[in-house]
Amino acid sequence: MSGIEWNHETFSKFAYLNDPRIRGNLVAYTLTKANMKENKYESTVVVEDLGTGVRRFIENASMPRLSPDGRKLAFTRFNEEKKENEIWVADVQTLSAKKVLSAKNVRSIQWNDDSRRLLVVGFKRRDDEDFIFDDEVPAWFDGMGFFDGEKTTFWVLDTESEEIIEELEKPRFSSGIWHGDAIVINVPHRNGSKPALFKFWDIYLWKDGEEEKIFERVSFEAIDSDGKVLLLRGKREKRFISEHDWLYLWDGELKPVYEGPLDVWSAKLTEGKVYFLTPDAGSVNLWLWDGKAERVVVGNHWIYGLDASNGKALLLVMTATRIGELYLYDGELKQITDYNGPIFARLRTFEPRHFRFNNKDLEIDGWYLKPELKENKAPVIVFVHGGPKGMYGYRFVYEMQLMASKGYYVVFVNPRGSDGYSEDFALRVLKRTGLEDFEDIMAGIEEFFKLEPQADRERVGITGISYGGFMTNWALTQSELFKAGISENGISYWLTSYAFSDIGLWYDVEVIGSNPLENENFRKLSPLFYAENVKAPILLIHSLEDYRCPLDQSLMFYNVLRDMGKEAYIAVFKKGPHGHSIRGSPKHRAKRYKLFIEFFERKLKKYEEGFEVEKILKES
């Protein structure tokens, strides 16, 4: 009998791969495991020779970067004692390594074509021990904390002398890449005193202390270079942040590589070719442009990592029933790693069943997982993705497999506003969030009930994170179908979100409307003002360090619901950003999964009153 089963700690059995890199026959990536005993994640850089299959390992390391000549490997290592990032350079053959720089804040590193210099992008802050001061907006950002006067720093590090030989500063949110011996820098464009974040950029070419502006107020960024040509991702000019990103090449003249109809998530330029990923109706596929753009790796999968070199693309690929493994595409797709195969061989997984349905003027994609039925009727949990420009489909969602294994139908759809479809489809939710998109979800549930008569209409729960949390709050105020809800990091009042969120000044005025202090949408589309309608018990889960949808959103809803005598509970995790569901510490995640399981078990199966959290966690 297998000792592995689905529970709140099963996630710690998996090996997680990210940051794939390729040069010739050499590949490198980061392998991460959760250490439940010490409550931390342990990351190892793996270097593999595809020719021989030999793997070598560097412990306590991340951000692997293979030099263009294939002879060196740069990587980072966090020094816990000094609270500093260290940059190391290793010989690829021997893995003998030396530390070349210690710096407090490092965001990215990139080799120059000479395989000697590194471009190190980081940041600096005032770091006064007593207070934080700012004269820019936003004052904080999710996963980054308070900016405290932050400036982006650019260092050119000579790895032989181990000295910084050039440095410069730019405003926060700037980024940069090598372009031959020059550095191309993306700087947020300013409209008066306010930066036009996420929409407009000024792009500079910096070399030997001289700076030239090559683009002003454009809606694309420079993301890659082969030394002669720049690869740009975005659009010529955006009306909305929610528009799709496309691809262009620039060699003094702007040339389109791909201009829709789909969004572009990431891309790499190599040997005059462009490899890129697009979300596509629940899948993420690989495209190749070589004078003409075409899909080359298509399927019911989710590609979430990409690098390319010498006619080969290195990919991280997951499916709805398997977390990611490493693959190589060189004309055909080949699997390189199978870290998690033996684990999944001992776990039953549930393939999504796809269906399509119509609502109003659109055709919508939906899926469901069918559990092993042990009685005539089974309860249902509806999942709503984040965004609204998120996407569900063929990606591994731990909670979905977990709850299907517990005997629940799991239903999820891509309502209007989702990514993976036309730009028009994505923009239809603007200034109407919670209206037709909610109707799409409800129509999908009704279509699901037609397909699965054993699904119990009297035991339906709903859950989601971020926009999914908003939609959970909204659903419980708008429909009596749902008998329980778990809302995570969701919005309850759009006005305070606009004024408090890190992106509210830019994003909320797009999604909900302009003139927030006067616009009735900020009240009309806020679940808080319909709290009296809530009939079902709700568990609100939030992270104290969430600056994207700050804690006020769940706390306000909770307080108002309790003041009205509703059955509401709140769990506030003291650490972790907006994405704490997957970025929280191992014990944090295990407790969250435990709360998640037990709330639905008690409300949709056992019909218990109350929610005794001490007893629940003690049973872990």
Side-chain angles (χ1 to χ4, degrees):
M1 179 181 290
S2 170
I4 301 174
E5 60 182 20
W6 286 110
N7 60 38
H8 60 291
E9 292 189 351
T10 309
F11 75 95
S12 65
K13 306 290 184 185
F14 304 139
Y16 300 90
L17 282 66
N18 59 67
D19 208 356
R21 302 287 158 169
I22 183 168
R23 281 287 183 273
N25 274 335
L26 281 177
V27 302
Y29 52 91
T30 303
L31 178 69
T32 302
K33 289 281 292 183
N35 183 328
M36 291 300 297
K37 188 174 181 180
E38 297 185 24
N39 194 30
K40 66 179 183 179
Y41 296 100
E42 297 173 333
S43 292
T44 299
V45 166
V46 183
V47 183
E48 180 170 349
D49 187 316
L50 297 179
T52 63
V54 172
R55 288 181 188 164
R56 288 167 296 157
F57 307 90
I58 305 174
E59 293 186 341
N60 185 27
S62 58
M63 209 182 292
R65 299 292 182 266
L66 290 162
S67 62
D69 64 10
R71 299 172 61 184
K72 300 174 185 176
L73 174 74
F75 60 91
T76 61
R77 181 174 275 160
F78 187 69
N79 188 314
E80 284 284 354
E81 183 179 348
K82 295 182 179 179
K83 303 300 179 187
E84 287 184 340
N85 290 282
E86 299 173 347
I87 299 176
W88 292 67
V89 172
D91 179 272
V92 163
Q93 295 302 315
T94 64
L95 290 193
S96 172
K98 67 172 184 175
K99 183 172 65 177
V100 294
L101 182 71
S102 291
K104 187 171 184 180
N105 305 302
V106 173
R107 288 207 171 115
S108 69
I109 56 175
Q110 181 191 11
W111 284 106
N112 184 269
D113 290 338
D114 63 12
S115 296
R116 173 167 177 159
R117 291 172 293 167
L118 284 171
L119 175 61
V120 181
V121 181
F123 62 95
K124 71 174 186 179
R125 295 173 175 170
R126 291 178 59 257
D127 288 331
D128 188 286
E129 63 182 18
D130 294 315
F131 77 105
I132 291 163
F133 180 83
D134 226 316
D135 58 359
E136 294 273 359
V137 288
W140 62 9
F141 203 78
D142 193 64
M144 300 182 188
F146 282 94
F147 281 121
D148 195 22
E150 177 179 309
K151 299 290 185 184
T152 304
T153 57
F154 297 85
W155 295 335
V156 176
L157 172 65
D158 176 49
T159 60
E160 295 298 311
S161 64
E162 302 172 25
E163 293 290 337
I164 294 169
I165 55 177
E166 297 177 84
E167 58 183 297
L168 67 150
E169 293 180 3
K170 288 294 180 184
R172 65 182 65 156
F173 290 106
S174 296
S175 61
I177 58 171
W178 283 113
H179 182 52
D181 283 330
I183 300 171
V184 172
I185 302 172
N186 307 296
V187 179
H189 178 76
R190 300 189 71 87
N191 291 329
S193 62
K194 179 182 173 183
L197 296 183
F198 323 118
K199 188 186 288 188
F200 296 123
W201 302 86
D202 298 330
I203 303 180
Y204 296 86
L205 188 69
W206 190 92
K207 184 176 181 181
D208 297 330
E210 299 292 324
E211 185 175 87
E212 174 190 358
K213 183 184 287 186
I214 55 177
F215 291 103
E216 183 173 9
R217 197 182 175 277
V218 290
S219 296
F220 47 68
E221 297 177 78
I223 62 168
D224 204 0
S225 167
D226 63 2
K228 299 177 182 178
V229 180
L230 281 177
L231 178 62
L232 309 166
R233 184 171 70 94
K235 291 182 74 174
R236 298 173 191 266
E237 181 170 348
K238 286 188 174 184
R239 296 170 300 140
F240 305 110
I241 298 167
S242 300
E243 291 179 38
H244 287 353
D245 286 324
W246 296 336
L247 293 172
Y248 303 86
L249 292 176
W250 183 79
D251 59 1
E253 180 183 348
L254 195 65
K255 302 172 183 177
V257 169
Y258 178 82
E259 292 186 304
L262 298 172
D263 203 1
V264 172
W265 280 4
S266 62
K268 292 294 296 184
L269 170 64
T270 176
E271 292 87 39
K273 302 176 182 179
V274 180
Y275 294 86
F276 61 99
L277 303 179
T278 65
D280 189 352
S283 295
V284 182
N285 294 317
L286 176 69
W287 291 61
L288 172 60
W289 179 89
D290 188 6
K292 179 183 177 182
E294 61 178 343
R295 292 181 180 91
V296 292
V297 178
V298 184
N300 293 338
H301 53 223
W302 192 286
I303 305 174
Y304 66 99
L306 166 67
D307 194 26
S309 174
N310 299 324
K312 300 173 183 176
L314 191 64
L315 310 171
L316 289 173
V317 186
M318 71 168 71
T319 67
T321 59
R322 293 289 186 275
I323 66 172
E325 298 285 355
L326 196 67
Y327 286 75
L328 183 73
Y329 173 76
D330 59 0
E332 61 178 304
L333 191 64
K334 306 166 187 173
Q335 186 169 348
I336 304 299
T337 67
D338 187 25
Y339 286 100
N340 297 291
I343 306 299
F344 280 104
R346 290 163 173 78
L347 287 171
R348 178 173 179 183
T349 53
F350 300 83
E351 288 281 354
R353 302 184 180 200
H354 177 248
F355 63 97
R356 290 181 69 81
F357 61 96
N358 292 302
N359 185 48
K360 296 186 180 294
D361 55 342
L362 292 178
E363 191 173 23
I364 309 292
D365 280 308
W367 296 264
Y368 67 92
L369 307 184
K370 184 173 183 175
E372 182 180 351
L373 295 170
K374 297 180 180 178
E375 49 187 320
N376 290 332
K377 292 281 188 177
V380 180
I381 300 177
V382 178
F383 280 74
V384 184
H385 64 59
K389 200 183 177 184
M391 185 177 77
Y392 270 147
Y394 301 100
R395 70 177 170 95
F396 184 83
V397 180
Y398 181 75
E399 295 94 326
M400 289 185 181
Q401 293 293 329
L402 181 64
M403 299 314 287
S405 76
K406 302 281 182 193
Y408 296 83
Y409 280 99
V410 171
V411 182
F412 46 105
V413 305
N414 283 338
R416 68 193 67 208
S418 299
D419 209 348
Y421 305 90
S422 71
E423 189 172 80
D424 173 70
F425 188 94
L427 298 180
R428 283 178 180 238
V429 75
L430 300 187
K431 300 178 177 62
R432 304 194 60 79
T433 305
L435 300 180
E436 290 85 1
D437 50 346
F438 176 61
E439 293 178 20
D440 291 341
I441 293 168
M442 297 301 290
I445 297 170
E446 290 304 321
E447 184 67 22
F448 158 74
F449 280 128
K450 294 176 188 176
L451 297 170
E452 289 293 330
Q454 287 181 282
D456 192 344
R457 178 183 287 272
E458 300 305 314
R459 293 188 291 163
V460 181
I462 186 168
T463 188
I465 299 173
S466 192
Y467 166 77
F470 156 77
M471 194 58 80
T472 299
N473 295 339
W474 185 254
L476 294 187
T477 69
Q478 304 297 310
S479 172
E480 294 186 14
L481 171 66
F482 306 103
K483 301 303 186 289
I486 298 179
S487 169
E488 297 199 56
N489 297 14
I491 301 294
S492 69
Y493 187 20
W494 285 108
L495 181 61
T496 58
S497 174
Y498 147 76
F500 204 26
S501 166
D502 58 355
I503 62 173
L505 301 183
W506 297 268
Y507 194 61
D508 290 20
V509 294
E510 177 175 300
V511 174
I512 304 303
S514 57
N515 302 317
L517 298 179
E518 302 171 10
N519 191 326
E520 65 176 11
N521 263 5
F522 282 80
R523 181 183 178 110
K524 176 184 173 183
L525 302 178
S526 294
L528 185 70
F529 295 96
Y530 306 91
E532 180 62 41
N533 297 339
V534 174
K535 301 287 194 300
I538 183 172
L539 171 62
L540 296 141
I541 299 176
H542 221 107
S543 170
L544 189 60
E545 296 177 331
D546 184 350
Y547 306 142
R548 180 64 37 84
C549 299
L551 177 61
D552 70 301
Q553 297 300 317
S554 287
L555 198 55
M556 282 190 299
F557 203 40
Y558 169 74
N559 284 339
V560 169
L561 288 170
R562 290 304 295 260
D563 193 43
M564 292 179 172
K566 309 292 185 178
E567 186 181 358
Y569 310 90
I570 189 166
V572 179
F573 284 89
K574 299 174 184 178
K575 299 277 186 185
H578 186 60
H580 76 120
S581 57
I582 55 174
R583 291 164 61 192
S585 70
K587 287 185 179 179
H588 170 146
R589 289 175 64 186
K591 288 175 183 176
R592 174 187 164 271
Y593 293 138
K594 183 69 173 177
L595 294 174
F596 191 94
I597 297 166
E598 294 302 325
F599 190 75
F600 281 131
E601 287 283 285
R602 281 158 168 73
K603 301 306 174 184
L604 297 181
K605 286 186 178 181
K606 300 177 182 177
Y607 311 109
E608 288 184 3
E609 294 184 3
F611 193 60
E612 299 180 44
V613 70
E614 295 89 349
K615 179 181 176 182
I616 289 164
L617 293 179
K618 193 176 291 184
E619 292 171 356
S620 299

